[in-house]
Amino acid sequence: MSAHDMPMSGSVDMTHGGGGRAMAELIRTLFNKHFSNPILDQGNDGALMSLPPGRVVISTDGHVISPLFFPGGDIGALSINGTVNDVAMMGARPLYVAVGFILEEGFPMADLERIVVSMASAAKAAGVTIVTGDTKVVEKGKGDGVFITTTGIGVVPEGVETSGSKARPGQAVLVSGTMGDHGVAILSKRESLEFETEIVSDCAALNGLIADMLAAVPGVTTLRDPTRGGLAATLNEIARASHVGMMLDEDAIPVRPDVHAACELLGLDALYVANEGKLICICENHDAETLLAVMRAHPLGRDAARIGTVIEDAAHLIQMRTGFGGTRVVDWIAGEQLPRIC
Amino acid sequence: MSAHDMPMSGSVDMTHGGGGRAMAELIRTLFNKHFSNPILDQGNDGALMSLPPGRVVISTDGHVISPLFFPGGDIGALSINGTVNDVAMMGARPLYVAVGFILEEGFPMADLERIVVSMASAAKAAGVTIVTGDTKVVEKGKGDGVFITTTGIGVVPEGVETSGSKARPGQAVLVSGTMGDHGVAILSKRESLEFETEIVSDCAALNGLIADMLAAVPGVTTLRDPTRGGLAATLNEIARASHVGMMLDEDAIPVRPDVHAACELLGLDALYVANEGKLICICENHDAETLLAVMRAHPLGRDAARIGTVIEDAAHLIQMRTGFGGTRVVDWIAGEQLPRIC
């Protein structure tokens, strides 16, 4: 191991956010080292770039997850993948990411480097470039290690018109895989629970999967990632924005058996638990089988399933036929089940 | 006062970041109420928009200032103006802003509304649109009231090529006004110091001033805002990036007498103190008088002055002829004078 590859030592102090030499050194030896690319390396307070023609999407997301490191990921990978996904759900090809760090005084530099390396790796995997950033430091006790706000920018291909407000009765409701993995992985880690098999977060960038789906069916109606509030909150948002209801089939919603068991133990409902590598797709009924085939052919969509149908409903309710033959309303969650899950 | 205009009551709790109904209500009754515009009102996880043709600039900035409310501004106005300025310094016309809030549990809702109203007002004054946002909540003791990360996007007009790395010997160094007002206002408030006249922050959006300058001289070499680290840090950054030195004239650098007096009392040097409504401009020598006239004709550039000249210097030093006839080096600040100043 060369000196260049030694883990960084020491910890974050107030000078790293002061705008002087210590901050410049941190940028040079940590952020620019791992994120280096021609746009970032210009060294300005912002990034200058050319975008391909088309409508532009911008999305921003703060990440305050606790714990910072968890089975299947960390705040760094999550901050890149979450924003890549938000941009991709708008039908756009994600291209560039801006990163804002808020660091707490005393945070170990080695942990910060681990997070930065994870971000660089996630960006590379997703095919996006980190083009600009900012670092602030707050006193010990005024933050929680590290918060990361990422902003993504992308361009929508001609002909793509996805929206959360255009779902229509008769359309199919699909999901790309199992529900609840991320939230249960975080909570298990937080509560130090041990299961027979470790439950890992599904944290992943879905832009590749979406590109395949849009190549097959450019007219996909809605793409959304069921993060905070899980499947239930996201479907309710779509129903409200589109002035429709939905009828789901409980038995069709994929949930891993270990996640199901953990939810029972923790008193959670997997439909309300956050996902970080799954999507909801609403499409014309006649496109459903084509899209399911495309999704199942992708590593991140192997467990894709049709879980329900959009229906007319003036009350915009999400209803679900249960395994026992009844029907129940999948209401908005009133508060939150899991704080600081993303 | 109608019920609609009553200040909000209560305080932020964990449910406001949970992705459920409480968060949706907060977005509807606070953020969307004050920020409303056709793009934001689409209600997606990101914003979809068309950009005019041209190179695109994106810049992100976290705001952790303490105190949140200060003479001349607050964290809300600062978060908009700071990002508008970062985009404008790249020669771009700022158009859109994305906003990420990290709120601490227990933060008074009335204070949050005051901040949001201030952001809406600053955005309107600067002519930018807040198109998307995100809200997270952390437990009491894991944050500090409110942190705001803003990301701005803009488009560079044809023919504008400003850069921090293209300063050349013989060029003029200009500033748009007095140095140190913002930092001294913050510190006076923090230390509860009273002066004969209240020192107020210069917090302002400079895109209008810059538009006037670029209309007169499209080939301006460098525009930068001397925020954290003040004039000294910013000039050192430019010198390093451009491989030049600079010779300043201390007597030509505008500093308000009360700011000068406060700096003496506080043991600060105004050249290292943050500004939030001032810019540095480097231009060809023959353009200096034209630009100074344009700047002085604008309300935010009334005290514009030429403070020095770019020189050849392999060591990239910023030197200054002092009022006493000597010459001293204006070094990078090693640490920081003022933490959490922006």
Side-chain angles (χ1 to χ4, degrees), chain B residues 265-341:
Chain B
L265 190 69
L266 294 162
L268 297 174
D269 181 337
L271 304 192
Y272 293 90
V273 175
N275 310 277
E276 289 291 345
K278 300 289 159 51
L279 62 81
I280 297 167
C281 170
I282 298 179
C283 66
E284 297 299 342
N285 192 46
H286 60 77
D287 289 327
E289 286 308 316
T290 306
L291 283 166
L292 284 172
V294 168
M295 291 159 86
R296 287 173 184 153
H298 191 283
L300 296 174
R302 272 192 300 257
D303 299 319
R306 176 175 180 153
I307 62 166
T309 301
V310 180
I311 59 173
E312 269 190 70
D313 181 355
H316 312 152
L317 295 180
I318 307 299
Q319 299 179 69
M320 185 165 74
R321 282 193 203 93
T322 66
F324 304 106
T327 298
R328 74 170 174 95
V329 171
V330 181
D331 195 10
W332 283 54
I333 180 169
E336 95 282 79
Q337 289 194 324
L338 298 175
R340 302 191 55 191
I341 205 76

Side-chain angles (χ1 to χ4, degrees), chain B residues 2 63 74 84 141 148 157 304 320:
Chain B
S2 74
H63 299 275
D74 56 52
V84 163
I148 306 177
M320 185 165 74

Side-chain angles (χ1 to χ4, degrees), chain B residues 67 69-71 180-200 258-268 273 338:
Chain B
F69 302 95
F70 50 84
D181 302 14
H182 174 75
V184 168
I186 302 306
L187 202 61
S188 302
K189 170 92 180 176
R190 231 185 255 170
E191 309 274 321
S192 301
L193 297 179
E194 304 263 347
F195 300 104
E196 272 183 46
T197 54
E198 187 180 51
I199 296 172
V200 301
D258 52 358
V259 169
H260 183 78
C263 280
E264 296 228 316
L265 190 69
L266 294 162
L268 297 174
V273 175
L338 298 175

Side-chain angles (χ1 to χ4, degrees), chain A residues 45 47 49 56 58-59 135 228, chain B residues 45 47 49 56 58-59 135 228:
Chain A
D45 277 349
M49 60 231 166
V56 172
I58 184 166
S59 186
T135 308
R228 277 184 290 180
Chain B
D45 278 348
M49 61 230 167
V56 172
I58 185 167
S59 185
T135 309
R228 275 183 291 180

Side-chain angles (χ1 to χ4, degrees), chain B residues 182-233:
Chain B
H182 174 75
V184 168
I186 302 306
L187 202 61
S188 302
K189 170 92 180 176
R190 231 185 255 170
E191 309 274 321
S192 301
L193 297 179
E194 304 263 347
F195 300 104
E196 272 183 46
T197 54
E198 187 180 51
I199 296 172
V200 301
S201 166
D202 55 353
C203 179
L206 296 169
N207 51 331
L209 172 62
I210 290 174
D212 289 356
M213 293 169 65
L214 290 175
V217 181
V220 164
T221 303
T222 305
L223 294 167
R224 287 292 287 275
D225 52 342
T227 55
R228 275 183 291 180
L231 182 70

